[in-house]
Coordinates of all heavy atoms in Angstrom, one line a residue:
M1 N -74.0 194.2 -66.6 CA -73.2 195.2 -67.3 C -72.5 196.1 -66.2 O -73.2 196.4 -65.3 CB -73.9 195.9 -68.3 CG -73.0 197.0 -69.0 SD -73.8 197.8 -70.4 CE -73.5 196.5 -71.6
L2 N -71.3 196.4 -66.4 CA -70.6 197.4 -65.5 C -70.8 198.8 -65.9 O -70.6 199.1 -67.1 CB -69.1 197.0 -65.5 CG -68.1 197.8 -64.7 CD1 -68.4 197.7 -63.2 CD2 -66.7 197.5 -65.0
H3 N -71.1 199.6 -65.0 CA -71.2 201.1 -65.3 C -70.1 201.8 -64.5 O -70.0 201.6 -63.3 CB -72.6 201.6 -64.9 CG -73.6 201.0 -65.7 ND1 -74.1 201.4 -66.9 CD2 -74.4 199.9 -65.4 CE1 -75.0 200.7 -67.4 NE2 -75.3 199.7 -66.5
I4 N -69.4 202.7 -65.2 CA -68.3 203.4 -64.6 C -68.5 204.9 -64.8 O -68.8 205.4 -66.0 CB -66.9 203.1 -65.3 CG1 -66.7 201.5 -65.1 CG2 -65.8 203.9 -64.7 CD1 -65.5 201.1 -65.8
E5 N -68.4 205.6 -63.7 CA -68.6 207.1 -63.8 C -67.2 207.7 -64.1 O -66.2 207.4 -63.5 CB -69.0 207.6 -62.4 CG -70.4 207.3 -62.0 CD -71.4 208.1 -62.8 OE1 -71.2 209.2 -63.2 OE2 -72.5 207.4 -63.1
I6 N -67.1 208.5 -65.3 CA -65.9 209.0 -65.7 C -65.9 210.5 -65.5 O -66.9 211.2 -66.0 CB -65.6 208.7 -67.2 CG1 -65.5 207.2 -67.4 CG2 -64.4 209.3 -67.7 CD1 -65.5 206.7 -68.8
P7 N -65.0 211.1 -64.8 CA -64.9 212.5 -64.5 C -64.9 213.3 -65.9 O -64.4 212.8 -66.9 CB -63.6 212.8 -63.8 CG -63.3 211.4 -63.2 CD -63.9 210.4 -64.2
D8 N -65.5 214.4 -65.9 CA -65.6 215.2 -67.1 C -64.3 215.5 -67.7 O -64.1 215.5 -68.9 CB -66.3 216.6 -66.9 CG -67.8 216.5 -66.6 OD1 -68.4 215.4 -67.0 OD2 -68.4 217.3 -65.9
R9 N -63.3 215.8 -66.9 CA -61.9 216.1 -67.4 C -61.4 214.9 -68.2 O -60.8 215.1 -69.3 CB -61.0 216.4 -66.2 CG -59.6 216.7 -66.5 CD -58.8 217.0 -65.2 NE -58.9 216.0 -64.2 CZ -58.2 214.8 -64.2 NH1 -57.4 214.6 -65.2 NH2 -58.4 213.9 -63.3
L10 N -61.5 213.7 -67.7 CA -61.0 212.5 -68.4 C -61.9 212.2 -69.5 O -61.4 211.8 -70.6 CB -61.0 211.3 -67.4 CG -60.5 210.0 -67.9 CD1 -59.1 210.2 -68.5 CD2 -60.6 209.0 -66.8
R11 N -63.2 212.4 -69.4 CA -64.1 212.2 -70.6 C -63.7 213.1 -71.8 O -63.7 212.7 -72.9 CB -65.5 212.5 -70.1 CG -66.6 212.1 -71.2 CD -67.9 212.5 -70.6 NE -68.0 212.2 -69.3 CZ -69.1 211.6 -68.7 NH1 -70.2 211.3 -69.4 NH2 -69.1 211.4 -67.4
D12 N -63.3 214.4 -71.5 CA -62.9 215.3 -72.6 C -61.6 214.7 -73.3 O -61.4 214.8 -74.5 CB -62.6 216.7 -72.0 CG -64.0 217.3 -71.6 OD1 -65.1 216.9 -71.9 OD2 -63.9 218.3 -70.8
K13 N -60.7 214.3 -72.4 CA -59.4 213.8 -73.1 C -59.6 212.5 -73.8 O -59.1 212.4 -74.9 CB -58.4 213.4 -72.0 CG -57.8 214.5 -71.2 CD -56.8 214.1 -70.1 CE -56.2 215.2 -69.3 NZ -55.3 214.7 -68.3
I14 N -60.5 211.7 -73.4 CA -60.9 210.4 -74.2 C -61.6 210.8 -75.5 O -61.3 210.3 -76.5 CB -61.8 209.5 -73.4 CG1 -61.1 208.9 -72.2 CG2 -62.4 208.4 -74.3 CD1 -62.0 208.1 -71.2
A15 N -62.5 211.8 -75.4 CA -63.2 212.2 -76.6 C -62.3 212.9 -77.7 O -62.3 212.6 -78.8 CB -64.3 213.3 -76.3
A16 N -61.3 213.6 -77.2 CA -60.3 214.2 -78.1 C -59.4 213.2 -78.8 O -59.3 213.3 -80.0 CB -59.4 215.2 -77.3
I17 N -58.9 212.3 -78.0 CA -58.1 211.2 -78.6 C -59.0 210.3 -79.5 O -58.5 209.9 -80.6 CB -57.5 210.3 -77.5 CG1 -56.5 211.2 -76.7 CG2 -56.7 209.2 -78.1 CD1 -56.0 210.5 -75.4
A18 N -60.2 210.0 -79.2 CA -61.1 209.2 -79.9 C -61.3 209.9 -81.3 O -61.3 209.2 -82.3 CB -62.4 208.9 -79.3
T19 N -61.5 211.1 -81.3 CA -61.7 211.9 -82.6 C -60.5 211.8 -83.5 O -60.7 211.4 -84.7 CB -62.0 213.4 -82.3 OG1 -63.1 213.5 -81.5 CG2 -62.2 214.1 -83.6
L20 N -59.3 211.9 -82.9 CA -58.1 211.7 -83.8 C -58.0 210.2 -84.3 O -57.5 210.0 -85.4 CB -56.9 212.0 -82.9 CG -56.7 213.5 -82.5 CD1 -55.6 213.6 -81.5 CD2 -56.5 214.4 -83.7
A21 N -58.4 209.3 -83.5 CA -58.4 207.9 -83.9 C -59.5 207.4 -84.7 O -59.7 206.2 -85.1 CB -58.2 207.0 -82.7
E22 N -60.5 208.4 -85.0 CA -61.8 208.1 -85.8 C -62.5 206.9 -85.1 O -62.9 205.9 -85.7 CB -61.4 207.7 -87.2 CG -60.8 208.9 -88.0 CD -60.5 208.6 -89.4 OE1 -60.7 207.5 -89.8 OE2 -60.1 209.6 -90.1
Q23 N -62.6 207.0 -83.8 CA -63.4 206.1 -82.9 C -64.4 206.8 -82.1 O -64.3 208.1 -81.9 CB -62.5 205.3 -82.0 CG -61.6 204.3 -82.7 CD -60.7 203.7 -81.7 OE1 -60.0 204.3 -80.9 NE2 -60.7 202.4 -81.7
T24 N -65.4 206.2 -81.6 CA -66.2 206.8 -80.6 C -65.4 206.8 -79.2 O -64.5 205.9 -79.1 CB -67.5 206.0 -80.4 OG1 -67.2 204.7 -79.8 CG2 -68.3 205.9 -81.7
P25 N -65.8 207.7 -78.3 CA -65.1 207.7 -77.0 C -65.3 206.2 -76.3 O -64.4 205.8 -75.6 CB -65.8 208.8 -76.3 CG -66.3 209.7 -77.3 CD -66.7 208.8 -78.5
E26 N -66.4 205.6 -76.5 CA -66.7 204.3 -75.9 C -65.7 203.3 -76.5 O -65.2 202.4 -75.7 CB -68.2 203.9 -76.1 CG -69.2 204.8 -75.3 CD -69.5 206.1 -76.0 OE1 -69.1 206.3 -77.2 OE2 -70.2 207.0 -75.5
Q27 N -65.6 203.3 -77.8 CA -64.7 202.4 -78.4 C -63.3 202.5 -77.9 O -62.6 201.5 -77.6 CB -64.7 202.5 -80.0 CG -65.9 202.0 -80.6 CD -66.0 202.5 -82.1 OE1 -65.5 203.5 -82.5 NE2 -66.6 201.6 -82.9
L28 N -62.8 203.7 -77.8 CA -61.4 204.1 -77.4 C -61.2 203.6 -75.9 O -60.3 203.0 -75.5 CB -61.1 205.5 -77.5 CG -59.7 205.9 -77.0 CD1 -58.6 205.2 -77.9 CD2 -59.5 207.4 -77.0
A29 N -62.2 203.9 -75.1 CA -62.1 203.6 -73.6 C -62.1 202.0 -73.4 O -61.3 201.6 -72.7 CB -63.3 204.2 -72.8
L30 N -62.9 201.3 -74.2 CA -62.8 199.9 -74.1 C -61.5 199.3 -74.5 O -61.0 198.4 -74.0 CB -64.0 199.3 -74.8 CG -65.4 199.5 -74.2 CD1 -66.5 199.0 -75.1 CD2 -65.5 198.7 -72.9
E31 N -61.0 199.9 -75.7 CA -59.8 199.4 -76.2 C -58.6 199.6 -75.3 O -57.7 198.8 -75.0 CB -59.5 200.1 -77.5 CG -58.3 199.7 -78.3 CD -58.1 200.4 -79.6 OE1 -59.0 200.2 -80.5 OE2 -57.2 201.3 -79.7
M32 N -58.6 200.8 -74.6 CA -57.5 201.2 -73.7 C -57.6 200.3 -72.4 O -56.6 199.8 -71.9 CB -57.6 202.7 -73.3 CG -57.3 203.5 -74.4 SD -57.6 205.4 -74.1 CE -56.3 205.6 -72.8
L33 N -58.9 200.0 -72.0 CA -59.1 199.2 -70.8 C -58.6 197.7 -71.1 O -57.9 197.1 -70.3 CB -60.5 199.2 -70.4 CG -60.9 198.4 -69.1 CD1 -60.0 198.9 -67.9 CD2 -62.4 198.6 -68.8
E34 N -59.0 197.2 -72.3 CA -58.6 195.9 -72.6 C -57.0 195.8 -72.7 O -56.5 194.8 -72.2 CB -59.2 195.5 -73.9 CG -58.9 194.0 -74.3 CD -59.7 193.6 -75.6 OE1 -60.5 194.4 -76.1 OE2 -59.5 192.5 -76.0
E35 N -56.4 196.8 -73.3 CA -54.9 196.8 -73.5 C -54.3 196.8 -72.0 O -53.3 196.0 -71.8 CB -54.5 198.0 -74.2 CG -53.1 198.0 -74.5 CD -52.6 199.2 -75.4 OE1 -53.3 199.4 -76.4 OE2 -51.6 199.8 -75.0
R36 N -54.8 197.5 -71.1 CA -54.3 197.6 -69.8 C -54.4 196.3 -69.1 O -53.5 195.8 -68.4 CB -55.0 198.7 -69.0 CG -54.6 198.8 -67.5 CD -53.1 199.1 -67.4 NE -52.8 199.2 -66.0 CZ -51.6 198.9 -65.5 NH1 -50.6 198.7 -66.2 NH2 -51.4 199.1 -64.2
I37 N -55.6 195.6 -69.2 CA -55.8 194.4 -68.6 C -54.9 193.3 -69.2 O -54.3 192.4 -68.5 CB -57.3 193.9 -68.8 CG1 -58.2 194.8 -67.8 CG2 -57.5 192.4 -68.5 CD1 -59.7 194.7 -68.1
D38 N -54.7 193.3 -70.5 CA -53.7 192.4 -71.1 C -52.3 192.6 -70.6 O -51.6 191.6 -70.3 CB -53.7 192.5 -72.7 CG -55.0 192.1 -73.3 OD1 -55.8 191.3 -72.6 OD2 -55.2 192.4 -74.5
H39 N -51.9 193.8 -70.4 CA -50.6 194.1 -69.9 C -50.5 193.7 -68.4 O -49.5 193.1 -68.0 CB -50.1 195.6 -70.0 CG -49.8 195.9 -71.4 ND1 -50.5 196.9 -72.1 CD2 -48.8 195.5 -72.2 CE1 -49.9 197.0 -73.3 NE2 -48.9 196.2 -73.4
Q40 N -51.6 193.9 -67.7 CA -51.6 193.5 -66.3 C -51.4 192.0 -66.1 O -50.7 191.5 -65.2 CB -52.9 194.0 -65.5 CG -52.9 193.7 -64.1 CD -51.8 194.6 -63.3 OE1 -51.3 195.6 -63.8 NE2 -51.4 194.0 -62.2
S41 N -52.1 191.2 -66.9 CA -52.0 189.8 -66.9 C -50.5 189.4 -67.2 O -50.0 188.4 -66.5 CB -53.0 189.1 -67.8 OG -52.7 189.3 -69.2
A42 N -49.9 190.0 -68.0 CA -48.4 189.7 -68.4 C -47.5 190.0 -67.1 O -46.6 189.2 -66.8 CB -47.9 190.5 -69.5
Y43 N -47.8 191.0 -66.4 CA -47.1 191.4 -65.2 C -47.3 190.3 -64.1 O -46.4 190.0 -63.4 CB -47.5 192.8 -64.7 CG -47.1 193.9 -65.6 CD1 -48.0 194.9 -65.9 CD2 -45.9 194.0 -66.1 CE1 -47.6 195.9 -66.7 CE2 -45.4 195.1 -66.9 CZ -46.4 196.0 -67.2 OH -46.0 197.1 -68.1
L44 N -48.6 189.9 -64.0 CA -48.8 188.9 -63.0 C -48.2 187.5 -63.3 O -47.7 186.9 -62.4 CB -50.4 188.7 -62.9 CG -51.3 189.9 -62.3 CD1 -52.7 189.6 -62.5 CD2 -50.9 190.1 -60.9
E45 N -48.2 187.2 -64.6 CA -47.5 186.0 -65.0 C -46.0 186.1 -64.7 O -45.4 185.1 -64.2 CB -47.7 185.7 -66.5 CG -47.1 184.5 -67.0 CD -47.4 184.2 -68.4 OE1 -48.4 184.8 -69.0 OE2 -46.7 183.4 -69.1
T46 N -45.4 187.2 -65.0 CA -43.9 187.4 -64.7 C -43.7 187.3 -63.1 O -42.8 186.6 -62.7 CB -43.5 188.7 -65.2 OG1 -43.7 188.7 -66.6 CG2 -42.0 188.9 -65.0
A47 N -44.6 187.9 -62.3 CA -44.5 187.8 -60.9 C -44.6 186.4 -60.4 O -43.8 186.0 -59.6 CB -45.5 188.7 -60.2
Y48 N -45.5 185.6 -61.1 CA -45.7 184.2 -60.7 C -44.3 183.4 -61.0 O -43.8 182.6 -60.3 CB -46.9 183.5 -61.4 CG -46.9 182.1 -61.2 CD1 -47.3 181.5 -60.0 CD2 -46.5 181.3 -62.3 CE1 -47.3 180.2 -59.9 CE2 -46.5 179.9 -62.1 CZ -47.0 179.3 -60.9 OH -47.0 177.9 -60.7
L49 N -43.8 183.7 -62.2 CA -42.6 183.0 -62.6 C -41.4 183.3 -61.7 O -40.6 182.4 -61.5 CB -42.3 183.3 -64.1 CG -43.2 182.8 -65.2 CD1 -42.9 183.3 -66.5 CD2 -43.2 181.3 -65.1
K50 N -41.4 184.5 -61.2 CA -40.3 184.9 -60.3 C -40.5 184.6 -58.9 O -39.8 184.8 -58.0 CB -40.1 186.4 -60.4 CG -39.6 186.9 -61.8 CD -39.1 188.3 -61.8 CE -37.6 188.2 -62.0 NZ -36.8 189.3 -61.9
S51 N -41.7 183.9 -58.6 CA -42.0 183.5 -57.2 C -41.1 182.4 -56.6 O -41.0 182.3 -55.4 CB -43.4 183.2 -57.0 OG -43.7 182.0 -57.8
S52 N -40.5 181.6 -57.5 CA -39.6 180.6 -57.0 C -38.1 181.0 -57.4 O -37.9 181.5 -58.4 CB -39.9 179.2 -57.5 OG -39.3 179.0 -58.8
A53 N -37.2 180.6 -56.5 CA -35.8 181.0 -56.8 C -35.3 180.5 -58.1 O -34.6 181.1 -58.8 CB -34.9 180.6 -55.6
R54 N -35.6 179.2 -58.3 CA -35.1 178.6 -59.5 C -35.7 179.2 -60.8 O -35.0 179.5 -61.8 CB -35.4 177.1 -59.6 CG -34.9 176.3 -60.9 CD -33.4 176.3 -60.8 NE -33.0 175.6 -62.0 CZ -32.1 176.0 -62.8 NH1 -31.4 177.1 -62.6 NH2 -31.7 175.3 -63.9
N55 N -37.0 179.4 -60.8 CA -37.6 180.1 -61.9 C -37.1 181.5 -62.1 O -36.9 182.0 -63.3 CB -39.2 180.2 -61.7 CG -39.8 178.9 -62.1 OD1 -39.3 177.9 -62.7 ND2 -41.1 178.8 -61.7
R56 N -36.9 182.3 -61.0 CA -36.4 183.6 -61.0 C -35.0 183.6 -61.7 O -34.7 184.4 -62.6 CB -36.4 184.2 -59.7 CG -35.9 185.7 -59.7 CD -36.1 186.3 -58.2 NE -35.7 185.4 -57.1 CZ -36.5 184.8 -56.3 NH1 -37.8 184.8 -56.4 NH2 -36.0 184.1 -55.3
E57 N -34.1 182.6 -61.3 CA -32.7 182.6 -61.9 C -32.9 182.3 -63.4 O -32.1 182.9 -64.2 CB -32.1 181.4 -61.2 CG -30.7 181.2 -61.6 CD -30.1 179.9 -60.9 OE1 -30.1 179.9 -59.7 OE2 -29.5 179.1 -61.6
R58 N -33.7 181.4 -63.8 CA -33.8 181.1 -65.2 C -34.4 182.2 -66.0 O -34.0 182.5 -67.1 CB -34.7 179.8 -65.4 CG -34.1 178.6 -64.8 CD -34.9 177.4 -64.8 NE -34.9 176.8 -66.1 CZ -35.7 175.7 -66.4 NH1 -36.5 175.2 -65.5 NH2 -35.6 175.2 -67.6
L59 N -35.4 182.9 -65.5 CA -36.0 184.0 -66.2 C -35.0 185.2 -66.3 O -34.8 185.8 -67.4 CB -37.2 184.5 -65.5 CG -38.0 185.6 -66.1 CD1 -38.5 185.2 -67.5 CD2 -39.2 185.9 -65.2
D60 N -34.2 185.5 -65.2 CA -33.2 186.5 -65.3 C -32.1 186.1 -66.3 O -31.6 187.0 -67.0 CB -32.6 186.7 -63.9 CG -33.6 187.4 -62.9 OD1 -34.5 188.0 -63.4 OD2 -33.3 187.3 -61.7
Q61 N -31.7 184.9 -66.4 CA -30.7 184.4 -67.3 C -31.2 184.6 -68.8 O -30.5 185.1 -69.6 CB -30.4 182.9 -67.1 CG -29.3 182.4 -68.0 CD -29.1 180.9 -67.7 OE1 -29.7 180.2 -67.0 NE2 -28.1 180.4 -68.4
A62 N -32.5 184.3 -69.0 CA -33.0 184.4 -70.3 C -33.1 185.9 -70.7 O -32.8 186.3 -71.8 CB -34.5 183.8 -70.3
I63 N -33.5 186.8 -69.8 CA -33.6 188.2 -70.0 C -32.2 188.7 -70.4 O -32.0 189.5 -71.3 CB -34.2 189.0 -68.9 CG1 -35.6 188.6 -68.8 CG2 -34.0 190.5 -69.0 CD1 -36.3 189.1 -67.4
G64 N -31.1 188.3 -69.6 CA -29.7 188.7 -69.9 C -29.3 188.2 -71.3 O -28.7 189.0 -72.0
E65 N -29.6 187.0 -71.7 CA -29.4 186.5 -73.0 C -30.0 187.5 -74.1 O -29.3 187.8 -75.2 CB -29.8 185.1 -73.2 CG -29.1 184.1 -72.3 CD -27.6 183.9 -72.7 OE1 -27.3 183.8 -74.0 OE2 -26.8 183.9 -71.8
I66 N -31.2 187.8 -74.0 CA -31.9 188.6 -74.9 C -31.2 190.0 -75.0 O -31.0 190.5 -76.1 CB -33.4 188.7 -74.6 CG1 -34.1 187.4 -74.8 CG2 -34.1 189.9 -75.4 CD1 -35.5 187.3 -74.1
R67 N -30.9 190.5 -73.8 CA -30.2 191.9 -73.9 C -28.9 191.8 -74.5 O -28.4 192.8 -75.1 CB -30.1 192.3 -72.4 CG -31.4 192.8 -71.9 CD -31.2 193.4 -70.4 NE -32.6 193.9 -70.0 CZ -32.8 194.0 -68.8 NH1 -32.0 193.6 -67.8 NH2 -34.0 194.5 -68.4
R68 N -28.2 190.6 -74.5 CA -26.9 190.5 -75.2 C -27.1 190.1 -76.6 O -26.0 189.9 -77.3 CB -26.1 189.4 -74.4 CG -25.5 190.0 -73.1 CD -24.6 189.0 -72.4 NE -25.2 187.8 -71.9 CZ -25.8 187.7 -70.8 NH1 -25.9 188.7 -70.0 NH2 -26.3 186.6 -70.4
G69 N -28.3 190.0 -77.1 CA -28.5 189.6 -78.5 C -28.4 188.2 -78.8 O -28.4 187.8 -80.0
R70 N -28.5 187.4 -77.8 CA -28.4 185.9 -78.0 C -29.7 185.3 -77.9 O -30.2 184.8 -76.8 CB -27.5 185.3 -76.9 CG -26.0 185.8 -77.0 CD -25.2 185.1 -76.0 NE -23.9 185.7 -75.7 CZ -23.2 185.7 -74.7 NH1 -23.7 184.9 -73.6 NH2 -22.2 186.3 -74.5
F71 N -30.4 185.2 -79.0 CA -31.8 184.6 -79.1 C -32.1 184.2 -80.5 O -31.4 184.7 -81.5 CB -32.8 185.5 -78.6 CG -33.0 186.8 -79.3 CD1 -33.8 186.9 -80.4 CD2 -32.2 187.9 -78.9 CE1 -33.9 188.1 -81.1 CE2 -32.3 189.1 -79.6 CZ -33.2 189.2 -80.7
E72 N -32.9 183.4 -80.7 CA -33.5 182.9 -82.0 C -34.9 183.4 -82.2 O -35.7 183.2 -81.3 CB -33.5 181.4 -82.1 CG -32.2 180.8 -82.3 CD -32.3 179.3 -82.6 OE1 -33.2 178.8 -83.2 OE2 -31.4 178.6 -82.0
E73 N -35.2 184.0 -83.3 CA -36.6 184.4 -83.6 C -37.2 183.2 -84.3 O -36.6 182.5 -85.2 CB -36.6 185.6 -84.6 CG -36.2 186.8 -83.9 CD -36.5 188.0 -84.8 OE1 -37.6 188.1 -85.5 OE2 -35.7 189.0 -84.8
R74 N -38.4 182.9 -84.0 CA -39.1 181.8 -84.5 C -40.5 182.2 -84.8 O -41.1 183.0 -84.2 CB -39.2 180.6 -83.5 CG -37.8 180.0 -83.3 CD -37.8 178.9 -82.4 NE -36.6 178.4 -82.1 CZ -36.2 177.1 -81.8 NH1 -37.2 176.2 -81.7 NH2 -35.0 176.7 -81.6
A75 N -41.1 181.6 -85.8 CA -42.5 181.9 -86.1 C -43.4 181.3 -85.0 O -43.1 180.2 -84.5 CB -42.9 181.3 -87.5
L76 N -44.5 181.9 -84.8 CA -45.5 181.3 -83.8 C -46.2 180.2 -84.5 O -46.5 180.2 -85.7 CB -46.5 182.4 -83.4 CG -45.9 183.5 -82.6 CD1 -47.0 184.6 -82.3 CD2 -45.3 183.1 -81.3
I77 N -46.6 179.2 -83.7 CA -47.3 178.1 -84.2 C -48.8 178.4 -83.9 O -49.2 178.7 -82.8 CB -47.0 176.8 -83.5 CG1 -45.5 176.5 -83.8 CG2 -47.9 175.6 -83.9 CD1 -45.0 175.3 -83.0
D78 N -49.6 178.4 -85.0 CA -51.1 178.6 -84.8 C -51.8 177.3 -84.7 O -52.0 176.6 -85.7 CB -51.6 179.5 -86.0 CG -52.9 180.0 -85.9 OD1 -53.4 180.0 -84.7 OD2 -53.5 180.4 -86.9
D79 N -52.3 177.0 -83.5 CA -53.0 175.7 -83.3 C -54.4 175.9 -83.7 O -55.1 176.7 -83.5 CB -52.9 175.3 -81.8 CG -51.5 174.8 -81.5 OD1 -50.7 174.4 -82.4 OD2 -51.1 174.8 -80.3

């Protein structure tokens, strides 16, 4: 198990937000950490996709199409 020392100032902020969210400080901290890790993996995936010139070009083109409103919404397939 990983143990992390959290400074009192940050611990107080986590406790205040957790109270508003009706969670324990531990639940909130774990949820926030998991969300950050999920976002980080998306950034790493995008960086990987942009690592080759051809992929970067295709990704930039797709982003441009989305910004211009040219896209199709589709339901996700649940395997």
Side-chain angles (χ1 to χ4, degrees):
M1 178 171 281
L2 176 66
H3 295 277
I4 301 172
E5 292 288 327
I6 299 175
D8 291 338
R9 178 182 54 80
L10 183 55
R11 189 182 319 221
D12 293 343
K13 288 180 180 182
I14 292 170
I17 296 169
T19 299
L20 293 172
E22 297 181 356
Q23 293 179 303
T24 66
E26 294 81 8
Q27 289 170 325
L28 178 68
L30 287 173
E31 185 178 292
M32 292 173 68
L33 183 57
E34 185 173 357
E35 184 176 318
R36 175 62 179 154
I37 289 170
D38 288 345
H39 283 118
Q40 185 65 27
S41 65
Y43 295 132
L44 292 173
E45 184 175 342
T46 302
Y48 171 77
L49 291 173
K50 292 192 114 191
S51 65
S52 83
R54 180 69 181 131
N55 280 349
R56 186 171 42 255
E57 180 183 309
R58 293 171 82 184
L59 187 58
D60 289 343
Q61 181 180 5
I63 291 169
E65 293 291 318
I66 291 168
R67 288 183 174 154
R68 287 187 289 279
R70 296 184 196 154
F71 61 90
E72 284 183 42
E73 287 190 41
R74 296 181 182 208
L76 294 176
I77 298 172
D78 189 15
D79 289 337

